[in-house]
Amino acid sequence: MPELPEVETVCRTIATQVVGHTVTQVVIRQPRLRWVIPADLATLWVGQTIQSVARRAKYLLLGSAGGTAIFHLGMTGRLRTFPSDSTLEKHDHVDIQLSNQTSLRFNDSRRFGALLWSADAPEQHPLLARLGMEPFAPIFSGAWLYEQAQRRSLAVKQFIMDQQVVVGVGNIYASEALFQVGIAPQRPASTVSLREYERLAVAIQDILQQAIAHGGSTVRDFQGGDGKAGSFQQQLKVYGRAQQACHECGTLIARCRLGQRSTYYCPQCQS
DNA sequence: ACTGGCTCCTGAGGGC
DNA sequence: TGCCCTCAGGAGCCAG
């Protein structure tokens, strides 16, 4: 699925393709995404010139004078430009036709994605207002994680996946980052030391950087703009490796569920 | 104020 | 070959 690195890539790519162009028509074939696309979105958007494309967490923000369109790619969402007359494919739910004869097309087989509209400053939209820190923000640090973790009894893996704490750490990366620093995923967040959070913060950034370098991580669903699956999955040390030998110590990788999510760890290396 | 469980959806993969 | 069942997951929402 699109993780933070992939969303950033999509953001940069479409920015070069849509900024400065005017929306001439919005075709909605399937309005029922994670939330129903607002009925007045097409009316509000048509005639607007896209002035900016930005990312906040995994949300993509297409700004114009009259408001901001907010996309989320969910797990299987893809957002690409095509010539306006190009052939439709299955799950092509929305087309934003632009004045340069291209169409920004949203395809999402599982429909966990979203397309919403914000008339006001998008950062005040309910979905964005309470988001946590960007992992590459200069002030993101172990000290900050440590501070946030006090009085939090939930598992540290769920804590770093909490979008109100730090954004963009998905299920795969959470398991991998915790393995990298030797912290057991089920430990209550408040029991992790400052020193450990300092290493964990670095590991989160490191894992995300690696994923970018390898073109994404998705085990099953993600395909990059070139249609190739990302290769980062081959770098995974624990995710999806239940009952296989740990690369570090040979102990069998364990699997458990935390917050309804598959969680992988080495019982020997992580404590 | 937190936490855990539920929910949306389709497609992959396994068993037979 | 095909059918059916299970599982996967981002993350907001809500009940406890």
Side-chain angles (χ1 to χ4, degrees), chain A residues 25-187:
Chain A
Q25 191 179 6
V26 177
V27 180
I28 300 171
R29 303 183 190 85
Q30 170 56 277
R32 293 179 55 238
L33 304 179
R34 167 82 197 263
W35 296 281
V36 174
I37 297 172
D40 57 355
L41 178 133
T43 305
L44 294 167
W45 207 357
V46 168
Q48 296 288 323
T49 298
I50 297 175
Q51 297 172 332
S52 61
V53 179
R55 178 190 64 76
R56 173 72 173 107
K58 293 183 190 170
Y59 294 94
L60 286 164
L61 312 173
L62 279 62
S64 55
T68 302
I70 302 173
F71 278 98
H72 195 291
L73 302 182
M75 292 185 54
T76 52
R78 282 181 282 172
L79 196 58
R80 295 177 57 192
T81 55
F82 293 85
S84 288
D85 58 356
S86 62
T87 312
L88 288 176
E89 295 186 8
K90 196 173 182 183
H91 308 303
D92 280 342
H93 302 315
V94 183
D95 264 42
I96 297 93
Q97 293 177 8
L98 301 171
S99 49
N100 64 346
Q101 316 307 320
T102 67
S103 202
L104 184 63
R105 185 166 291 172
F106 182 66
N107 178 294
D108 185 8
S109 62
R110 293 193 190 174
R111 289 198 265 136
F112 276 19
L115 170 55
L116 298 167
W117 181 262
S118 174
D120 308 314
E123 60 270 20
Q124 287 168 29
H125 189 280
L127 287 177
L128 305 183
R130 299 172 65 192
L131 286 173
M133 198 169 287
E134 292 285 337
F136 290 111
I139 52 172
F140 174 69
S141 68
W144 188 82
L145 279 179
Y146 176 76
E147 183 189 335
Q148 294 295 307
Q150 303 312 301
R151 300 176 307 280
R152 299 297 299 272
S153 63
L154 82 174
V156 61
K157 171 166 177 271
Q158 292 171 274
F159 172 71
I160 61 172
M161 290 177 66
D162 184 340
Q163 299 300 297
Q164 294 184 25
V165 175
V166 53
V167 302
V169 182
N171 195 45
I172 297 172
Y173 297 152
S175 280
E176 293 297 315
L178 288 165
F179 173 78
Q180 187 166 309
V181 296
I183 299 173
Q186 54 276 82
R187 269 180 58 192

Side-chain angles (χ1 to χ4, degrees), chain A residues 11-25:
Chain A
C11 179
R12 292 178 192 176
T13 301
I14 66 172
T16 66
Q17 298 167 332
V18 305
V19 168
H21 300 295
T22 300
V23 176
T24 58
Q25 191 179 6

Side-chain angles (χ1 to χ4, degrees), chain A residues 208-228:
Chain A
L208 291 172
Q209 292 281 22
Q210 286 181 51
I212 294 170
H214 288 275
S217 64
T218 305
V219 172
R220 242 181 242 146
D221 295 309
F222 181 75
Q223 294 193 331
D226 56 2
K228 291 183 198 161

Side-chain angles (χ1 to χ4, degrees), chain A residues 135-136 140-142 145 177 180-181 196-210:
Chain A
F136 290 111
F140 174 69
S141 68
L145 279 179
Q180 187 166 309
V181 296
E196 287 174 313
Y197 272 122
E198 286 172 344
R199 290 191 288 125
L200 183 55
V202 173
I204 287 170
Q205 295 176 327
D206 185 42
I207 294 281
L208 291 172
Q209 292 281 22
Q210 286 181 51

